[in-house]
Amino acid sequence: MIVDQAGQFLFHLSFTDYQKPGSGEFCRHCLHRLNKILVAFDESKEIMRAVRHLGKMVNADNCRITLCHVVRSQSIFQKGDEEVWQRMEKERMAPKLNEVKTCLCNMGIPMNNVSCEILTDKISRASGVLERANEGKYGTLVIGRRGLTIVKEF
């Protein structure tokens, strides 16, 4: 478990799922998945803090980090063209993802070990991130603290 200096929970890494049943050995194939890290990027303070911790604790040569931002479909509270909305969100997020990529590279992670993805046409960010994690066979998922959606704030 990773916590910050104030004791706030950031994320948890567990090796128990990667052990061979009935033995203390780790499955090499599964350990390879541990090095594939998906960061659910939402530009919050919490995810930025988690990314800084991640950069300090991973083996820079062996890890593959994907910064993933999910652009939700327009909500019922927003009006306008869906395609324009998706394009504007992608254009807004691309520089921010590149900034975080640069930050990780400045911490010693090779640039070719960090990639950025922007997923569109998803109903929720959570389901989009989980879908991507399963498709990509990521072993570690880094997320920030739970926040309020516009519906909950309303």
Side-chain angles (χ1 to χ4, degrees):
M1 178 181 342
I2 305 299
V3 296
D4 68 5
Q5 294 170 341
Q8 296 271 339
F9 174 78
L10 294 176
F11 57 94
H12 178 76
L13 298 175
S14 173
F15 291 98
T16 57
D17 293 334
Y18 300 98
Q19 288 182 330
K20 291 180 183 176
S23 76
E25 297 178 23
F26 290 99
C27 172
R28 286 185 197 164
H29 172 71
C30 295
L31 281 176
H32 172 72
R33 287 182 63 179
L34 276 177
N35 293 331
K36 286 188 73 178
I37 302 166
L38 183 67
V39 178
F41 184 78
D42 63 356
E43 72 183 311
S44 67
K45 294 185 307 188
E46 291 79 13
I47 198 63
M48 292 304 299
R49 191 168 41 201
V51 166
R52 285 192 297 274
H53 283 284
L54 176 67
K56 292 176 187 174
M57 61 181 275
V58 296
N59 181 339
D61 296 328
N62 293 334
C63 70
R64 298 286 182 261
I65 299 172
T66 302
L67 303 169
C68 178
H69 178 73
V70 178
V71 178
R72 292 181 290 199
S73 298
Q74 277 185 308
S75 74
I76 59 172
F77 301 111
Q78 297 168 321
K79 298 201 190 273
D81 185 11
E82 183 70 28
E83 274 186 40
V84 172
W85 161 257
Q86 298 276 334
R87 184 178 43 79
M88 287 175 50
E89 281 297 297
K90 285 176 79 169
E91 290 173 0
R92 185 179 73 82
M93 289 307 298
K96 294 178 183 191
L97 286 168
N98 285 327
E99 184 180 323
V100 174
K101 180 178 181 176
T102 302
C103 176
L104 286 168
C105 294
N106 289 341
M107 297 177 90
I109 298 171
M111 185 161 288
N112 60 347
N113 288 14
V114 182
S115 62
C116 301
E117 293 181 1
I118 300 176
L119 307 177
T120 58
D121 297 321
K122 302 295 179 186
I123 294 171
S124 87
R125 286 188 177 138
S127 64
V129 167
L130 290 175
E131 183 180 302
R132 181 65 187 108
N134 286 327
E135 287 172 0
K137 299 187 185 318
Y138 287 88
T140 305
L141 177 60
V142 180
I143 59 174
R145 290 180 56 197
R146 188 183 85 154
L148 295 176
T149 64
I150 192 168
V151 174
K152 289 180 183 175
E153 289 175 357
F154 184 70

